[in-house]
């Protein structure tokens, strides 16, 4: 692939979205790789199966319903080609696996035009009082990155474009794909039925943003799939 099309989507799997409709939306926007947050393992596997893709990378985030293991929520990366996963990065040490406040990064390696690219599926801490914590989480991510390897951060960052959280990435060589290539189209992602805030991102370092958008023709149909809309970006190696 000379170019890479990325979708990031907080799916809210606990609401049991219709997986056929989720798959149809993904297929319509034709990504090469999808970073999902708040998705159950069987949901991620079913979506990948419906798309005809390989088994996804799925990591447990939390499970307040233990021992009902099948209700565990996690994060998943799905791709049309096989991914090389790395160990997940725990961002909230000391937080119980039963708590929704537990947060992770899920890093994978994929290949673009014969070169390795790192993708981090990210779901940062939520709440205005935890902004400094989110900045620390992004600083932790930056410390994991080799200098020469192109990288993507995709997911629900729980903060808006002008925040120090996003600023931390921009100051370290990342670009906000929607800000660069959104072309003035609506970019808000939440709430899904009538978006007003942009807290879901695809940010890239070492890749050029060619296009980026949030689907804006879904209306009330989104309410049955998630409380977030996805963001889609097309990237090319710089």
């Amino acid at each position: 692939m000379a170019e890479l099309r990325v979708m990031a989507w907080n799916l809210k799997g606990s609401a049991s979205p219709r997986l056929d409709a989720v798959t149809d939306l993904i297929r319509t926007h034709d990504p090469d790789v999808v970073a999902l947050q708040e998705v159950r393992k069987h949901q991620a596997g079913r979506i990948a199966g419906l798309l005809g893709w390989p088994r996804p990378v799925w990591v447990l985030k939390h499970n307040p319903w233990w021992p009902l293991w099948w209700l565990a929520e996690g994060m998943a990366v799905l791709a049309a080609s096989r991914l090389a996963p790395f160990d997940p990065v725990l961002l909230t040490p000391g937080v119980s696996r039963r708590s929704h406040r537990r947060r992770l990064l899920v890093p994978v390696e994929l290949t673009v035009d014969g070169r390795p690219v790192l993708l981090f599926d990210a779901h940062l801490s939520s709440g205005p009082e935890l902004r400094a914590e989110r900045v620390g989480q992004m600083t932790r991510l930056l410390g994991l990155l080799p200098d020469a390897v192109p990288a993507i951060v995709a997911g629900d960052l729980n903060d808006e474009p002008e925040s120090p959280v996003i600023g931390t990435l921009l100051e370290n060589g990342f670009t906000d794909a929607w800000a660069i290539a959104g072309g003035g189209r609506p970019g808000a992602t939440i709430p899904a039925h009538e978006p007003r805030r942009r807290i879901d991102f695809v940010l890239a370092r070492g890749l050029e943003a060619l296009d980026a958008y949030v689907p804006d023709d879904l209306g009330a149909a989104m309410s049955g799939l998630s409380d977030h809309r996805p963001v889609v970006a097309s990237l090319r190696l710089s």
Side-chain angles (χ1 to χ4, degrees):
M1 296 180 293
E3 298 178 8
L4 182 70
R5 193 167 176 84
V6 181
M7 174 182 283
W9 195 3
N10 184 322
L11 195 57
K12 197 176 181 181
S14 61
S16 299
R18 285 181 48 209
L19 300 184
D20 57 340
V22 169
T23 304
D24 285 345
L25 188 148
I26 293 173
R27 190 179 287 115
T28 295
H29 296 280
D30 195 28
D32 301 297
V33 60
V34 181
L36 296 177
Q37 303 85 51
E38 295 190 30
V39 62
R40 292 173 173 166
K41 187 174 184 179
H42 73 273
Q43 293 170 334
R46 178 63 174 156
I47 292 166
L50 289 170
L51 290 168
W53 289 3
R55 185 188 301 273
V57 174
W58 182 89
V59 175
L60 169 72
K61 177 180 169 288
H62 75 286
N63 186 3
W65 304 279
W66 184 259
L68 305 180
W69 56 267
W70 58 91
L71 296 180
E73 292 188 21
M75 300 168 64
V77 185
L78 295 71
S81 56
R82 292 200 176 274
L83 301 165
F86 296 93
D87 290 339
V89 179
L90 180 61
L91 296 175
T92 50
V95 175
S96 168
R97 289 189 176 206
R98 292 178 180 264
S99 173
H100 73 280
R101 295 189 178 277
R102 189 171 187 264
R103 302 292 157 141
L104 301 165
L105 298 172
V106 178
V108 300
E109 183 181 279
L110 41 90
T111 302
V112 180
D113 200 24
R115 291 178 57 191
V117 174
L118 286 175
L119 183 144
F120 288 83
D121 185 1
H123 190 191
L124 302 190
S125 296
S126 61
E129 74 282 4
L130 295 179
R131 177 163 282 172
E133 184 172 307
R134 290 192 290 277
V135 172
Q137 291 167 353
M138 284 295 89
T139 302
R140 174 84 184 280
L141 181 151
L142 289 166
L144 299 171
L145 291 177
D147 289 338
V149 177
I152 300 164
V153 177
D156 177 0
L157 304 190
N158 271 313
D159 231 323
E160 298 186 73
E162 301 79 13
S163 70
V165 177
I166 306 305
T168 298
L169 289 171
L170 299 182
E171 290 164 7
N172 284 274
F174 280 81
T175 57
D176 175 355
W178 183 86
I180 297 295
R185 291 168 289 187
T189 57
I190 189 170
H193 67 284
E194 192 177 329
R196 295 183 295 276
R197 300 177 61 215
R198 185 161 77 93
I199 66 172
D200 301 271
F201 294 83
V202 175
L203 300 112
R205 188 182 76 178
L207 298 110
E208 175 189 3
L210 304 177
D211 187 28
Y213 65 93
V214 173
D216 61 356
D217 58 349
L218 303 171
M222 275 301 304
S223 63
L225 303 184
S226 177
D227 54 347
H228 291 240
R229 292 193 182 197
V231 57
V232 183
S234 296
L235 308 170
R236 179 172 61 199
L237 283 168
S238 299

